[in-house]
């Protein structure tokens, strides 16, 4: 029988015979390792013997550390790449409850599927342990009546909110007095607003439990191997957790196969899994919850083949698309599979990973971003907490929610009880505070999506519904698989149809951004300004750009248009030059870079461009904020080069080409162009802004001369006006740190709007017809001629192409036969040079080095070369200009000709080549150079770094 790796390689060879590109990008073997062990764990002797008999493994050090911390009353989080951490959590659950026969536990699963998986795991343990050690567990997702004798209650956060807390003094009055432990599996899946919502939910759980027993229950969580979990964990309770590393078990050897599937990601994943299944292997296909309905008809009812969003036992695992984070992929590699096949799709960051597969195993763990206190979320939970028990003044101060309580009292939704002690209860004006509660959104429950047979396919969060779920849109966002047939605004329902053409869509939008509060600003390297604060966004989705199969991209108008308005934190970048962009197709490369560094999704932020202010905003997608804007502001130096890598890798995608071209423009301006402009004076006037067919905002005007007394950023931009006073439609105050527990810990959030503590309702349509969609600009990108690709701080180790890459790296290339600037397009092999670039100082580059170049060193090198060249051209040391050919006219006759046909040269970034022709045009020398990998290209030595290989100056090798 063939091994799984041999099966995958056989399929790859068959696919490559037809002339297509090899789909198997890499085969990475991962070695196994022994684990650490201890001889004794301080638990009940019967449980200890049963555990060893159950698992066949001795106790691990992390289990002893965690049990000791739990008995001291500390909240414990087990962090591990290994999937066995779930077994450790169940062991600690048994050890805690069996010490007290009347004790109960609450297991809060991330979703319904995880709740059912936890119930199955406990049932399996019960079958292998003695009868006296059984724990009865009840999942509440399908139970209408509570089991009063269950020792473990398994519920999702929505069920805890709507059932256990709402009816704690009636149906669940026997459960809460015995609660001893709260278990939170896979806690890292709660990010952004979900983490803020779960933090408030845990405060309410501790508050109700303390009201019944006088003490708080213990907390036990499991985490994937994420970076910096301590701030986020501490924010949930207002006190630190004990984070215990739990990767001390044995690691089985496995193999990672990286497969490039593109738009056929689901179909090829099923075909690979089916080939394994036919050889007798048990195979599981990992897919997103929304894609289960797409995989089901492809996979059928084959035995030994399972699929879904949770990991199930088997010998082989096929991952349909990047699983969302490096930590999730490492969890899969530690789950006991012989082979893991990662089928990469067409998301922008997946295309970047396909070009640099080595980063999948070498990159650090992603960061779990700490969410800010969200005023909308906190206001909702305060009303619920006051409904469960009167809210005391001490608790409000501990939560840091005094401003929100004052606003709710002014709105008549809270009232002070007539007791000596200050305490609040909700009024009838508050309505039902438990309605419209969603873990992942402050805007209410998710929108239900059904197919044409009225079967539930999944749920769409409100932030995605407003922007990505327009009629005829492809869902999931930026991936496709379903087409939206209808959208019911009144009931908030979607009707979907499956489609197999690989269709994808991106929204075309108009945005108006008003800065309400500037909280912090700083200067990036190169004098670019970056800021962070609170903004108010008015957004209109007037059309969409779509790509289906092999057809050309099309832009379609929407009638009626969709409108959204929300207030949230934002990070913004002041760009040195105006960017011509249609439909707000800008900034998505930066949004797509976030999942490669943090636990985030592409849809968690919204890029918005202000043409008049020349400012790009990255706004949190949820009202009140999810923490990504602030995190982007803090880590901009790391994210910008990564965003350039994403845009560069996706530039050949017909759907993404316009936004990648625009993103490469402004990213290069921030990463390299400003440093060169600040230190090296230009030798030619600035190139005119290229003309486009469709421009958002007024046409740009020529920039005035920069005063010598002002820094570059101040000269290019008028002085900002002082921030306006916070309005009533957004939280005005800056969040404060959370408080301490006992009474329950809290966190100060910005107060909600004066008229409503919940997010503002969607505005009514403006009644303006959407303009007809038009084709994107056919002008040339100008980023290639002014700066080379950034190579510092990149996750992929620089911008150099891999050996054998068919396309040239971005550089100042012009086609051999000039054509009008209105009709030029980049050649198939790479980007093209603009019609009239602004050449930098001519320099002679050093040979390429393996280490990433430093922009400051490069600028210093150019200055030294210029001084050396000017010294050589002084009387007695100047060179004679080469005679101009007969065809040179006018000012071209005096052009210095440094190269001639037959010269061997080195050109950055194309490498070694031979000069075929040297001529003068436009007052400078132009070369036609033959490169082994790229053919004949026209090179401008004033733009590219070119040197002869025979007469390179010895001192040039030390300039960089």
């Amino acid at each position: 029988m063939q091994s799984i790796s041999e099966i995958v390689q056989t399929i790859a060879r068959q696919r490559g015979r037809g002339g297509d590109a090899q789909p198997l990008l890499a085969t990475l073997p991962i070695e196994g390792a022994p684990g650490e062990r201890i001889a004794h764990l301080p638990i009940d002797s019967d449980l200890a013997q049963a555990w060893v008999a159950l698992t066949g493994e001795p106790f691990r050090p992390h289990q002893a550390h965690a049990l000791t911390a739990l008995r001291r009353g500390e909240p414990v989080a087990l962090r591990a790449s290994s999937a066995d951490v779930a077994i450790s959590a169940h062991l600690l659950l048994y050890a805690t409850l069996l010490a007290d026969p009347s004790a109960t536990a609450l297991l809060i699963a991330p979703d319904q599927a995880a709740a059912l998986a936890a119930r199955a795991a406990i049932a399996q343990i019960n079958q292998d342990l003695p009868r006296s050690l059984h724990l009865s567990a009840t999942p509440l997702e399908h139970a209408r009546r509570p089991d009063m004798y269950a020792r473990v209650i398994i519920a999702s956060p929505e069920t805890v909110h709507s059932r256990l807390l709402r009816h704690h003094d009636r149906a669940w009055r026997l459960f809460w007095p015995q609660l001893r432990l709260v278990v939170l599996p896979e806690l890292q899946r709660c990010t952004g607003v979900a983490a803020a919502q779960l933090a408030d939910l845990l405060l309410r759980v501790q508050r109700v439990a303390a009201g019944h027993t006088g003490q708080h229950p213990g907390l036990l969580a499991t985490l994937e191997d994420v970076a910096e979990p301590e701030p986020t964990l501490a924010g949930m309770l207002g006190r630190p957790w004990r984070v215990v590393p739990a990767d001390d078990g044995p690691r089985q050897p496995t193999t990672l196969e990286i497969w490039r599937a593109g738009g056929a990601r689901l179909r090829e994943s099923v075909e690979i899994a089916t080939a394994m299944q036919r050889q007798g292997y048990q195979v599981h296909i990992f897919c997103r919850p929304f894609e289960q309905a797409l995989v089901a008809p492809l996979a059928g009812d084959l035995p030994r083949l399972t699929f879904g969003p949770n990991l199930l036992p088997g010998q082989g695992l096929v991952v349909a698309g990047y699983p969302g984070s490096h930590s999730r992929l490492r969890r899969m590699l530690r789950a006991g599979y012989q082979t893991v096949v990662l089928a990469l799709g067409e998301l922008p960051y997946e295309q970047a990973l396909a070009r640099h597969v080595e980063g999948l195993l070498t990159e650090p763990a992603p960061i779990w971003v700490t969410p800010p206190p969200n005023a909308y979320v906190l206001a909702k939970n305060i009303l619920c907490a006051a409904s469960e028990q009167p809210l005391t003044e001490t608790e409000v101060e501990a939560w840091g929610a005094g401003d929100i309580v004052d606003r709710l009292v002014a709105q008549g939704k809270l009232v002070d009880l007539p007791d000596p002690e200050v305490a609040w209860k909700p009024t009838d004006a508050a309505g039902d505070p438990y309605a419209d509660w969603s873990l992942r959104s402050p805007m209410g429950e998710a929108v239900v999506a059904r197919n044409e047979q009225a079967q539930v396919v999944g749920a769409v969060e409100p932030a995605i519904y407003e922007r990505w779920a327009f009629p005829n849109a492809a869902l999931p966002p930026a991936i496709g698989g379903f087409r939206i047939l209808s959208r019911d605004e009144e009931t908030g329902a979607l009707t979907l149809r499956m489609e197999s053409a690989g269709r994808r869509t991106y929204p075309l939008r108009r945005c108006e951004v008003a800065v309400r509060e500037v909280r912090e600003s700083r200067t990036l390297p190169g004098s670019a300004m970056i800021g962070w604060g609170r903004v108010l966004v008015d957004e209109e989705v007037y059309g969409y750009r779509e790509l289906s199969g092999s057809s050309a991209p099309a832009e379609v108008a929407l009638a009626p248009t969709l409108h959204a308005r929300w207030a949230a934190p934002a990070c913004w970048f002041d760009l040195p030059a105006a960017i011509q962009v249609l439909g707000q197709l800008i900034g998505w490369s930066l949004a797509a870079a976030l999942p490669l560094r943090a636990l985030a999704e592409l849809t968690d932020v919204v890029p918005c461009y202000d043409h008049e202010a020349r400012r790009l905003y990255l706004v949190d997608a949820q009202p009140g904020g999810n923490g990504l804007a602030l995190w982007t502001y803090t880590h901009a130096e790391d994210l910008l080069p990564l965003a350039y890598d994403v845009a560069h890798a996706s530039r050949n995608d017909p759907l993404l080409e316009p936004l990648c071209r625009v993103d490469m423009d402004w990213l290069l301006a921030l990463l390299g162009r400003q440093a060169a402009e600040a230190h090296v004076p230009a030798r030619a006037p600035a190139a005119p802004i290229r003309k486009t067919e469709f421009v958002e905002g007024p046409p740009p005007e020529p920039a005035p001369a920069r005063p010598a007394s002002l820094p570059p950023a101040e000269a290019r931009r008028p002085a900002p006006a002082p921030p306006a006073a916070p309005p009533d439609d957004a939280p005005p105050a800056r969040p404060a740190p959370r408080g301490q527990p006992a009474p329950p810990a809290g966190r100060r959030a910005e107060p909600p709007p004066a008229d409503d503590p919940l997010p503002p309702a969607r505005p009514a349509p403006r009644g303006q017809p959407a303009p007809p969609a038009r084709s994107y600009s056919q002008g040339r990108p100008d980023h290639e001629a002014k700066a080379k690709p950034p190579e510092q701080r990149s996750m992929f180790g620089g911008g150099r192409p891999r050996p054998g890459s068919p396309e040239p790296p971005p550089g100042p290339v012009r086609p051999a036969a000039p054509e009008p600037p209105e009709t030029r397009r980049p050649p198939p092999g790479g980007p093209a040079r603009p019609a009239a670039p602004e050449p930098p100082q001519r320099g002679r580059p050093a040979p390429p080095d393996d280490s990433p170049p430093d922009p400051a060193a490069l600028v210093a090198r150019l200055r030294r070369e210029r001084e050396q060249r000017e010294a050589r051209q002084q009387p007695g040391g100047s060179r004679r200009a080469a005679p101009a050919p007969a065809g040179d006219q006018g000012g071209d006759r005096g052009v210095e000709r440094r190269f001639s046909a037959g010269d061997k040269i080195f050109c950055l970034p194309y490498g070694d080549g031979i000069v075929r022709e040297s001529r003068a045009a436009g007052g400078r020398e132009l070369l036609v150079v033959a490169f082994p990998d790229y053919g004949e290209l026209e090179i401008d030595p004033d733009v590219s770094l070119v040197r002869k290989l025979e007469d390179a100056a010895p001192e040039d090798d030390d300039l960089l």
Side-chain angles (χ1 to χ4, degrees), residues 805-820:
S805 176
E807 70 276 3
V813 183
R814 293 189 299 178
E819 54 186 340

Side-chain angles (χ1 to χ4, degrees), residues 352-428:
L353 291 173
R355 295 174 58 88
H356 306 276
V357 295
E358 65 278 359
L360 288 171
L361 297 181
T362 59
E363 284 302 308
I367 294 178
W368 191 13
V369 178
T370 303
N374 190 302
Y376 303 118
V377 170
L378 186 55
K380 190 81 170 178
N381 283 279
I382 282 178
L383 288 176
C384 294
S387 299
E388 293 151 7
Q389 294 177 355
L391 192 64
T392 66
E393 187 175 15
T394 303
E395 292 173 333
V396 171
E397 293 178 356
W399 281 358
D403 294 338
I404 293 180
V405 170
D406 293 342
R407 189 72 61 87
L408 293 174
V409 171
Q411 296 172 2
K413 297 181 179 180
L414 283 180
V415 62
D416 185 9
L417 297 178
D419 295 328
E421 182 182 4
V422 178
W424 292 274
K425 287 284 289 184
T427 64
D428 294 339

Side-chain angles (χ1 to χ4, degrees), residues 631-649:
W631 191 82
T632 301
Y633 172 82
T634 307
H635 298 82
E637 287 82 357
D638 295 329
L639 284 176
L640 292 178
L642 186 59
Y644 182 89
D645 288 329
V646 172
H648 184 263

